[in-house]
């Protein structure tokens, strides 16, 4: 049984910006950086902010509320006031569609 779920068209993603998706009721943000797709929980662990509305710099997403940052590859908090990591989800692109492994 496959845990990969189709969540978006690759064409919906833009370099340096995030989009929200909600597969199975989960609040997830997708990001495109240098041709690679990353998926994280969409809610900042420091406050009630949607990371899809944040600023992408390199492989980091900056929270739009307090400017703390997270690494899109690992979920680790990289700049205070954020200290707790966010969950990252395995992502892949096939046939122009973005898939997430929600069982990971």
């Amino acid at each position: 049984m496959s845990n990969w779920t189709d969540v978006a068209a690759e064409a919906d993603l833009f370099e340096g910006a995030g989009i929200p998706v909600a597969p199975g009721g989960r609040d997830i943000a997708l990001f495109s950086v240098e041709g690679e797709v990353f998926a994280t929980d969409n809610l900042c662990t420091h406050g009630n902010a949607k990371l899809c509305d944040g600023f992408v710099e390199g492989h980091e997403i900056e929270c739009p509320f307090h400017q703390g940052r997270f690494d899109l590859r690992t979920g680790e908090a990289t700049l205070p006031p954020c200290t707790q990591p966010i969950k990252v989800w395995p992502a892949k692109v096939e046939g122009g569609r973005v898939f997430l492994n929600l069982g990971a």
Side-chain angles (χ1 to χ4, degrees), residues 11-63:
D12 291 341
L13 300 175
F14 296 92
E15 182 77 20
I19 65 166
V21 294
R26 293 173 175 91
D27 190 9
I28 296 176
L30 299 179
F31 302 93
S32 178
V33 178
E34 298 174 2
E36 195 171 356
V37 176
F38 299 94
T40 71
D41 277 351
N42 196 18
L43 191 62
C44 178
T45 57
H46 174 258
N48 192 23
K50 297 290 187 174
L51 295 175
C52 67
D53 296 330
F55 177 74
V56 177
E57 185 170 327
H59 285 93
E60 293 183 321
I61 180 64
E62 183 178 276
C63 174

